[in-house]
Amino acid sequence: MTTEVRPSEAQAEDWTYPCGEWDMRATPGRKGLTLADVDRGSYAPLTDRSTTATMRQRGSVERPEAPRTGRRWDKKAETWSASIAMLYEEAQARQWSSATDIPWDTLEPLPDDLELAMCQLCTFLTQVEFIAADLPGRWLPYISPDYYEVQLFLGTQIMDESRHEDVFRKRALANGGGLMRPGLGSSALLSLQDFTEMTALIHLVGEGFVQTMFRMGEMVGQNEAEKKIFRLAAQDESRHVAFGVTHLKYLIETEPDRREELHSYLDRFEPAIALSQGGLTVEGDVSEALAVLLGGGRAHFDLGVQKLLAIRKKQVSEYMHRLEVLGMPERRERMHPTLRQYLV
Amino acid sequence: MTDQPRQPSLNWLDADVERVKVLPGPDGLTLERIMVGRYGEVPEHWPHSTDFPRGASSGGPTMFAASYSLNDKSDVWADNAAALYEQAIRDRWVSATAVPWETLMPLPVEVEAAVCQLCTMLSEDAFAAQQVIGRWLERIAYGFLEVKSFLATQVFDAGRHCEAFRKRALANGGGLGLQSPGVMHRALTDSLKWTELVAALDLFRTSAMLALFETASLPQTEVEATLYRLAARDLERWLAYGIAHTRYHLEHRPDRREQLLISMVRAEGAFVQDTFRDAPLRDALLILLGRGDGVQAARERLAELRQRQIDRYCDALDRADLPERRERAATVLRPITAVA
């Protein structure tokens, strides 16, 4: 055990220990005191490479004797997004409660086919949100504290996805139904090996598809409680999707040689998303349930299928738009046929 | 794959669903309220290696196996997890707007430096906590979703603490100080069993943090008083999970008691090492606790704080059904009272 023998100087005129850049000041703005307000000067995320192998916070003074705490990614491009601080603050400001922010009292008994269809959809959603909450946590130990905002944002995503898993479970159990037969789920995603692979598959594709569906919640929801669930969940997913797009954009701009690697992830995942959603139109339990909900009952199944087809087209066209924004317009030609057929 | 409508099978309508109708209570529709029927039955061993939702109907397709390895309830469970999850959401706060940043006024330079050094340590500790909890999530099976939900709030809390204390350090004319010695971080990352991590983080380190935040003379401004109060409220939940889980674990796995007791010396010893090595933090605390009353008064107050940290931890040990660790822990930790 090492003992410091330096005398204490409790009333010292001057602080005698090393500090980072001094005289930092910040005042709260319209959104309060945000990370962007304080991370200025040498505290800003300036470096493209990190040599920090400990928990040392960006801008604090290094102790040479501090033990390392595991392997870290050293390149900023591995995880960074130019919007990360803003997305983190937005996530903080927009948290909500599944217990009290949903007007559960507006739930009324539904015809049995509609109730079970909603329960089937909720079973699917609670499954996929499971994995979306688990996967980001895996990468936290690899994120350098020099890019701490990424870790903090992933922490908000873990919270968001847990709330989604919870709110869809609650809905399934709140109106006379229950949890139905699970589908394929998304546990295969836990085998991903790389952060950018996760970002491409989860944030860009998976969450993007779910976000589009949530934004159609006015059509899918049968009452105000369900519509509000979809609205609030879509708001959360928008941040996750925005992170995916801005991270991949940063990666493509700074490491263009990883473009083909990204394509390879999408080559593998695009057919899988058709499978995990039980076929994008009417194959599979979830798609059938969606068609029942969209049509207003099993008697109007065909009408529901037409509406579902419109949602599928929207999902794919919005996916293509994200690819264009991040700088991969060539994906239009390379997209898997199961998805490309929906592009208009 | 086709665009043309097919005849639907609709065979999912025949699933063996257990039908329930759960109504919201005074606190809304909480996780506790939906623990009904087979949805609320938490088995001692979770048999599924997938994302199969607890209570769902059987008969779905065979899924890919996932990475879950903590499949025994005794490894993770706490009876209060569902309640703590909802409480965390009710008690949420936003550092950007819940703290009266506009009230900050210039402080004497050594006082500002002391606040900044303390905040450097607090921010770093929270960052470390977020990392170590986050990496366990994918190992915990979904039969214990209430625990996983609570851990999500813990991850979220830790991130907020990390940035809130960073903001304080960079808002009032100072800056970040010297990083922590880091030995305590290693005690967390070195924990290879979940319950060992819970004991190190939620029982030990959280008790020490709470004693620090509860020190009335520590905050120099309304901003710090608010930060310490809000952070302490979060940490009370961490401690509550730590106590409840440790009790549950020991009740169901008495064979693990000795190993858990041995593991705790790692966190206690690491804290002692950090305390001895961290002269800047010691002097920062002396300045903050002294409040102009002289060196001797400051030293006495720091020694009292260190003793309160030990006492709070010993109290947590008692509540976690580990009273036999109390005496040994007090002995291991006693040197920190002399560091002042």
Side-chain angles (χ1 to χ4, degrees), chain A residues 27-58:
Chain A
T27 51
R30 193 169 53 85
K31 295 181 178 176
L33 191 70
T34 65
L35 290 177
D37 293 324
V38 298
D39 276 338
R40 292 172 292 115
S42 61
Y43 295 99
L46 299 174
T47 61
D48 291 330
R49 276 190 181 269
S50 168
T51 57
T52 304
T54 66
M55 301 287 185
R56 184 183 68 81
Q57 297 298 285
R58 189 174 72 219

mmCIF file of all heavy atoms in Angstrom, chain A residues 27-58:
data_model
loop_
_atom_site.group_PDB
_atom_site.id
_atom_site.type_symbol
_atom_site.label_atom_id
_atom_site.label_comp_id
_atom_site.label_asym_id
_atom_site.label_seq_id
_atom_site.Cartn_x
_atom_site.Cartn_y
_atom_site.Cartn_z
ATOM 1 N N THR A 27 -22.791 29.259 -18.893
ATOM 2 C CA THR A 27 -24.095 29.676 -18.391
ATOM 3 C C THR A 27 -25.177 28.907 -19.151
ATOM 4 O O THR A 27 -25.023 28.625 -20.343
ATOM 5 C CB THR A 27 -24.318 31.185 -18.598
ATOM 6 O OG1 THR A 27 -24.035 31.498 -19.962
ATOM 7 C CG2 THR A 27 -23.417 31.994 -17.689
ATOM 8 N N PRO A 28 -26.236 28.586 -18.442
ATOM 9 C CA PRO A 28 -27.295 27.813 -19.111
ATOM 10 C C PRO A 28 -27.983 28.615 -20.200
ATOM 11 O O PRO A 28 -28.173 29.822 -20.072
ATOM 12 C CB PRO A 28 -28.261 27.478 -17.967
ATOM 13 C CG PRO A 28 -27.954 28.438 -16.874
ATOM 14 C CD PRO A 28 -26.535 28.843 -17.026
ATOM 15 N N GLY A 29 -28.341 27.935 -21.269
ATOM 16 C CA GLY A 29 -29.074 28.561 -22.363
ATOM 17 C C GLY A 29 -30.537 28.159 -22.338
ATOM 18 O O GLY A 29 -31.065 27.760 -21.290
ATOM 19 N N ARG A 30 -31.160 28.220 -23.474
ATOM 20 C CA ARG A 30 -32.597 27.949 -23.563
ATOM 21 C C ARG A 30 -32.929 26.520 -23.127
ATOM 22 O O ARG A 30 -33.991 26.263 -22.580
ATOM 23 C CB ARG A 30 -33.034 28.171 -25.013
ATOM 24 C CG ARG A 30 -34.519 28.245 -25.236
ATOM 25 C CD ARG A 30 -34.825 28.728 -26.640
ATOM 26 N NE ARG A 30 -34.147 27.950 -27.671
ATOM 27 C CZ ARG A 30 -34.617 26.810 -28.180
ATOM 28 N NH1 ARG A 30 -35.750 26.314 -27.733
ATOM 29 N NH2 ARG A 30 -33.954 26.168 -29.120
ATOM 30 N N LYS A 31 -31.983 25.591 -23.362
ATOM 31 C CA LYS A 31 -32.221 24.191 -22.986
ATOM 32 C C LYS A 31 -31.515 23.825 -21.685
ATOM 33 O O LYS A 31 -31.273 22.649 -21.426
ATOM 34 C CB LYS A 31 -31.767 23.271 -24.116
ATOM 35 C CG LYS A 31 -32.586 23.438 -25.388
ATOM 36 C CD LYS A 31 -32.115 22.495 -26.469
ATOM 37 C CE LYS A 31 -32.984 22.638 -27.715
ATOM 38 N NZ LYS A 31 -32.515 21.812 -28.827
ATOM 39 N N GLY A 32 -31.161 24.818 -20.903
ATOM 40 C CA GLY A 32 -30.434 24.553 -19.673
ATOM 41 C C GLY A 32 -28.942 24.490 -19.943
ATOM 42 O O GLY A 32 -28.460 24.990 -20.966
ATOM 43 N N LEU A 33 -28.215 23.873 -19.027
ATOM 44 C CA LEU A 33 -26.762 23.766 -19.196
ATOM 45 C C LEU A 33 -26.463 22.430 -19.872
ATOM 46 O O LEU A 33 -26.552 21.368 -19.251
ATOM 47 C CB LEU A 33 -26.061 23.849 -17.847
ATOM 48 C CG LEU A 33 -24.537 24.006 -17.940
ATOM 49 C CD1 LEU A 33 -24.172 25.398 -18.475
ATOM 50 C CD2 LEU A 33 -23.884 23.785 -16.581
ATOM 51 N N THR A 34 -26.103 22.491 -21.130
ATOM 52 C CA THR A 34 -25.917 21.263 -21.905
ATOM 53 C C THR A 34 -24.437 20.911 -22.026
ATOM 54 O O THR A 34 -23.560 21.730 -21.714
ATOM 55 C CB THR A 34 -26.497 21.427 -23.317
ATOM 56 O OG1 THR A 34 -25.743 22.435 -24.001
ATOM 57 C CG2 THR A 34 -27.969 21.818 -23.260
ATOM 58 N N LEU A 35 -24.180 19.712 -22.520
ATOM 59 C CA LEU A 35 -22.792 19.288 -22.732
ATOM 60 C C LEU A 35 -22.088 20.231 -23.705
ATOM 61 O O LEU A 35 -20.908 20.533 -23.538
ATOM 62 C CB LEU A 35 -22.763 17.854 -23.272
ATOM 63 C CG LEU A 35 -23.170 16.757 -22.287
ATOM 64 C CD1 LEU A 35 -23.174 15.403 -22.986
ATOM 65 C CD2 LEU A 35 -22.224 16.723 -21.096
ATOM 66 N N ALA A 36 -22.812 20.690 -24.706
ATOM 67 C CA ALA A 36 -22.193 21.599 -25.681
ATOM 68 C C ALA A 36 -21.773 22.906 -25.025
ATOM 69 O O ALA A 36 -20.809 23.556 -25.455
ATOM 70 C CB ALA A 36 -23.176 21.871 -26.819
ATOM 71 N N ASP A 37 -22.478 23.296 -23.948
ATOM 72 C CA ASP A 37 -22.133 24.542 -23.256
ATOM 73 C C ASP A 37 -20.814 24.416 -22.487
ATOM 74 O O ASP A 37 -20.093 25.397 -22.326
ATOM 75 C CB ASP A 37 -23.244 24.934 -22.268
ATOM 76 C CG ASP A 37 -24.535 25.305 -22.972
ATOM 77 O OD1 ASP A 37 -24.461 25.910 -24.061
ATOM 78 O OD2 ASP A 37 -25.612 24.985 -22.434
ATOM 79 N N VAL A 38 -20.531 23.224 -21.964
ATOM 80 C CA VAL A 38 -19.354 23.088 -21.095
ATOM 81 C C VAL A 38 -18.138 22.490 -21.797
ATOM 82 O O VAL A 38 -17.001 22.752 -21.394
ATOM 83 C CB VAL A 38 -19.666 22.242 -19.830
ATOM 84 C CG1 VAL A 38 -20.740 22.908 -18.997
ATOM 85 C CG2 VAL A 38 -20.053 20.818 -20.184
ATOM 86 N N ASP A 39 -18.355 21.686 -22.819
ATOM 87 C CA ASP A 39 -17.220 20.998 -23.455
ATOM 88 C C ASP A 39 -16.568 21.887 -24.503
ATOM 89 O O ASP A 39 -16.655 21.629 -25.698
ATOM 90 C CB ASP A 39 -17.686 19.669 -24.061
ATOM 91 C CG ASP A 39 -17.698 18.562 -23.018
ATOM 92 O OD1 ASP A 39 -16.986 18.686 -22.003
ATOM 93 O OD2 ASP A 39 -18.425 17.574 -23.208
ATOM 94 N N ARG A 40 -15.900 22.903 -24.016
ATOM 95 C CA ARG A 40 -15.229 23.838 -24.914
ATOM 96 C C ARG A 40 -13.729 23.811 -24.637
ATOM 97 O O ARG A 40 -13.274 23.208 -23.682
ATOM 98 C CB ARG A 40 -15.807 25.238 -24.712
ATOM 99 C CG ARG A 40 -17.276 25.333 -25.186
ATOM 100 C CD ARG A 40 -17.913 26.651 -24.815
ATOM 101 N NE ARG A 40 -18.092 26.785 -23.379
ATOM 102 C CZ ARG A 40 -17.461 27.688 -22.623
ATOM 103 N NH1 ARG A 40 -16.628 28.552 -23.162
ATOM 104 N NH2 ARG A 40 -17.677 27.740 -21.325
ATOM 105 N N GLY A 41 -12.984 24.496 -25.484
ATOM 106 C CA GLY A 41 -11.534 24.531 -25.306
ATOM 107 C C GLY A 41 -10.951 23.134 -25.353
ATOM 108 O O GLY A 41 -11.333 22.308 -26.188
ATOM 109 N N SER A 42 -10.079 22.844 -24.423
ATOM 110 C CA SER A 42 -9.433 21.528 -24.420
ATOM 111 C C SER A 42 -10.370 20.420 -23.956
ATOM 112 O O SER A 42 -10.001 19.251 -23.988
ATOM 113 C CB SER A 42 -8.200 21.562 -23.518
ATOM 114 O OG SER A 42 -8.580 21.880 -22.198
ATOM 115 N N TYR A 43 -11.555 20.784 -23.506
ATOM 116 C CA TYR A 43 -12.522 19.770 -23.082
ATOM 117 C C TYR A 43 -13.376 19.261 -24.245
ATOM 118 O O TYR A 43 -14.137 18.318 -24.092
ATOM 119 C CB TYR A 43 -13.420 20.327 -21.972
ATOM 120 C CG TYR A 43 -12.623 20.614 -20.717
ATOM 121 C CD1 TYR A 43 -12.198 21.907 -20.421
ATOM 122 C CD2 TYR A 43 -12.252 19.588 -19.857
ATOM 123 C CE1 TYR A 43 -11.444 22.172 -19.290
ATOM 124 C CE2 TYR A 43 -11.497 19.838 -18.720
ATOM 125 C CZ TYR A 43 -11.088 21.138 -18.442
ATOM 126 O OH TYR A 43 -10.329 21.377 -17.328
ATOM 127 N N ALA A 44 -13.256 19.896 -25.378
ATOM 128 C CA ALA A 44 -14.025 19.467 -26.551
ATOM 129 C C ALA A 44 -13.434 18.167 -27.107
ATOM 130 O O ALA A 44 -12.259 17.861 -26.870
ATOM 131 C CB ALA A 44 -13.988 20.562 -27.611
ATOM 132 N N PRO A 45 -14.229 17.404 -27.828
ATOM 133 C CA PRO A 45 -13.732 16.131 -28.389
ATOM 134 C C PRO A 45 -12.888 16.381 -29.633
ATOM 135 O O PRO A 45 -13.339 16.189 -30.756
ATOM 136 C CB PRO A 45 -15.035 15.390 -28.730
ATOM 137 C CG PRO A 45 -16.036 16.468 -28.976
ATOM 138 C CD PRO A 45 -15.664 17.618 -28.101
ATOM 139 N N LEU A 46 -11.653 16.786 -29.440
ATOM 140 C CA LEU A 46 -10.835 17.249 -30.549
ATOM 141 C C LEU A 46 -10.027 16.146 -31.224
ATOM 142 O O LEU A 46 -9.787 16.184 -32.420
ATOM 143 C CB LEU A 46 -9.870 18.335 -30.048
ATOM 144 C CG LEU A 46 -10.529 19.597 -29.476
ATOM 145 C CD1 LEU A 46 -9.478 20.511 -28.878
ATOM 146 C CD2 LEU A 46 -11.320 20.316 -30.546
ATOM 147 N N THR A 47 -9.581 15.178 -30.447
ATOM 148 C CA THR A 47 -8.624 14.228 -31.006
ATOM 149 C C THR A 47 -9.315 13.114 -31.792
ATOM 150 O O THR A 47 -10.412 12.680 -31.436
ATOM 151 C CB THR A 47 -7.793 13.560 -29.888
ATOM 152 O OG1 THR A 47 -8.688 12.851 -29.043
ATOM 153 C CG2 THR A 47 -7.042 14.586 -29.081
ATOM 154 N N ASP A 48 -8.655 12.661 -32.849
ATOM 155 C CA ASP A 48 -9.184 11.555 -33.638
ATOM 156 C C ASP A 48 -8.728 10.205 -33.114
ATOM 157 O O ASP A 48 -9.215 9.167 -33.556
ATOM 158 C CB ASP A 48 -8.757 11.700 -35.104
ATOM 159 C CG ASP A 48 -9.440 12.884 -35.757
ATOM 160 O OD1 ASP A 48 -10.566 13.212 -35.341
ATOM 161 O OD2 ASP A 48 -8.842 13.502 -36.654
ATOM 162 N N ARG A 49 -7.760 10.248 -32.228
ATOM 163 C CA ARG A 49 -7.295 9.005 -31.611
ATOM 164 C C ARG A 49 -7.182 9.201 -30.114
ATOM 165 O O ARG A 49 -6.773 10.254 -29.647
ATOM 166 C CB ARG A 49 -5.924 8.599 -32.170
ATOM 167 C CG ARG A 49 -6.028 7.838 -33.476
ATOM 168 C CD ARG A 49 -4.692 7.247 -33.869
ATOM 169 N NE ARG A 49 -4.801 6.542 -35.134
ATOM 170 C CZ ARG A 49 -5.082 5.248 -35.257
ATOM 171 N NH1 ARG A 49 -5.265 4.505 -34.190
ATOM 172 N NH2 ARG A 49 -5.163 4.686 -36.442
ATOM 173 N N SER A 50 -7.516 8.178 -29.386
ATOM 174 C CA SER A 50 -7.432 8.235 -27.931
ATOM 175 C C SER A 50 -6.346 7.277 -27.456
ATOM 176 O O SER A 50 -6.246 6.154 -27.953
ATOM 177 C CB SER A 50 -8.768 7.817 -27.312
ATOM 178 O OG SER A 50 -8.625 7.593 -25.929
ATOM 179 N N THR A 51 -5.563 7.737 -26.501
ATOM 180 C CA THR A 51 -4.569 6.847 -25.893
ATOM 181 C C THR A 51 -4.965 6.480 -24.471
ATOM 182 O O THR A 51 -4.187 5.858 -23.744
ATOM 183 C CB THR A 51 -3.183 7.518 -25.878
ATOM 184 O OG1 THR A 51 -3.294 8.764 -25.183
ATOM 185 C CG2 THR A 51 -2.664 7.749 -27.283
ATOM 186 N N THR A 52 -6.165 6.879 -24.069
ATOM 187 C CA THR A 52 -6.600 6.636 -22.691
ATOM 188 C C THR A 52 -6.998 5.174 -22.505
ATOM 189 O O THR A 52 -7.909 4.690 -23.185
ATOM 190 C CB THR A 52 -7.792 7.544 -22.336
ATOM 191 O OG1 THR A 52 -7.408 8.894 -22.555
ATOM 192 C CG2 THR A 52 -8.205 7.375 -20.896
ATOM 193 N N ALA A 53 -6.330 4.508 -21.602
ATOM 194 C CA ALA A 53 -6.634 3.095 -21.331
ATOM 195 C C ALA A 53 -7.211 2.929 -19.928
ATOM 196 O O ALA A 53 -7.338 1.813 -19.437
ATOM 197 C CB ALA A 53 -5.384 2.252 -21.489
ATOM 198 N N THR A 54 -7.535 4.046 -19.297
ATOM 199 C CA THR A 54 -8.098 4.015 -17.943
ATOM 200 C C THR A 54 -9.482 4.658 -17.994
ATOM 201 O O THR A 54 -10.041 4.840 -19.067
ATOM 202 C CB THR A 54 -7.199 4.807 -16.978
ATOM 203 O OG1 THR A 54 -7.232 6.202 -17.368
ATOM 204 C CG2 THR A 54 -5.760 4.319 -17.046
ATOM 205 N N MET A 55 -10.008 5.023 -16.847
ATOM 206 C CA MET A 55 -11.308 5.707 -16.792
ATOM 207 C C MET A 55 -11.140 7.236 -16.792
ATOM 208 O O MET A 55 -12.098 7.958 -16.518
ATOM 209 C CB MET A 55 -12.079 5.283 -15.536
ATOM 210 C CG MET A 55 -12.358 3.801 -15.438
ATOM 211 S SD MET A 55 -13.627 3.256 -16.601
ATOM 212 C CE MET A 55 -13.807 1.528 -16.107
ATOM 213 N N ARG A 56 -9.942 7.736 -17.064
ATOM 214 C CA ARG A 56 -9.684 9.187 -17.000
ATOM 215 C C ARG A 56 -10.632 9.950 -17.917
ATOM 216 O O ARG A 56 -10.756 9.631 -19.097
ATOM 217 C CB ARG A 56 -8.242 9.486 -17.418
ATOM 218 C CG ARG A 56 -7.849 10.953 -17.301
ATOM 219 C CD ARG A 56 -6.441 11.187 -17.785
ATOM 220 N NE ARG A 56 -6.315 10.994 -19.224
ATOM 221 C CZ ARG A 56 -6.640 11.905 -20.140
ATOM 222 N NH1 ARG A 56 -7.115 13.082 -19.769
ATOM 223 N NH2 ARG A 56 -6.489 11.636 -21.419
ATOM 224 N N GLN A 57 -11.288 10.944 -17.364
ATOM 225 C CA GLN A 57 -12.244 11.730 -18.136
ATOM 226 C C GLN A 57 -11.524 12.745 -19.022
ATOM 227 O O GLN A 57 -10.472 13.289 -18.641
ATOM 228 C CB GLN A 57 -13.218 12.436 -17.199
ATOM 229 C CG GLN A 57 -14.076 11.473 -16.389
ATOM 230 C CD GLN A 57 -14.968 10.611 -17.273
ATOM 231 O OE1 GLN A 57 -15.964 11.082 -17.801
ATOM 232 N NE2 GLN A 57 -14.605 9.339 -17.450
ATOM 233 N N ARG A 58 -12.099 12.979 -20.176
ATOM 234 C CA ARG A 58 -11.472 13.877 -21.156
ATOM 235 C C ARG A 58 -11.215 15.255 -20.545
ATOM 236 O O ARG A 58 -12.127 15.881 -20.014
ATOM 237 C CB ARG A 58 -12.395 14.023 -22.359
ATOM 238 C CG ARG A 58 -11.765 14.765 -23.536
ATOM 239 C CD ARG A 58 -12.673 14.739 -24.745
ATOM 240 N NE ARG A 58 -13.836 15.579 -24.590
ATOM 241 C CZ ARG A 58 -15.059 15.278 -24.998
ATOM 242 N NH1 ARG A 58 -15.293 14.117 -25.579
ATOM 243 N NH2 ARG A 58 -16.057 16.109 -24.814
#
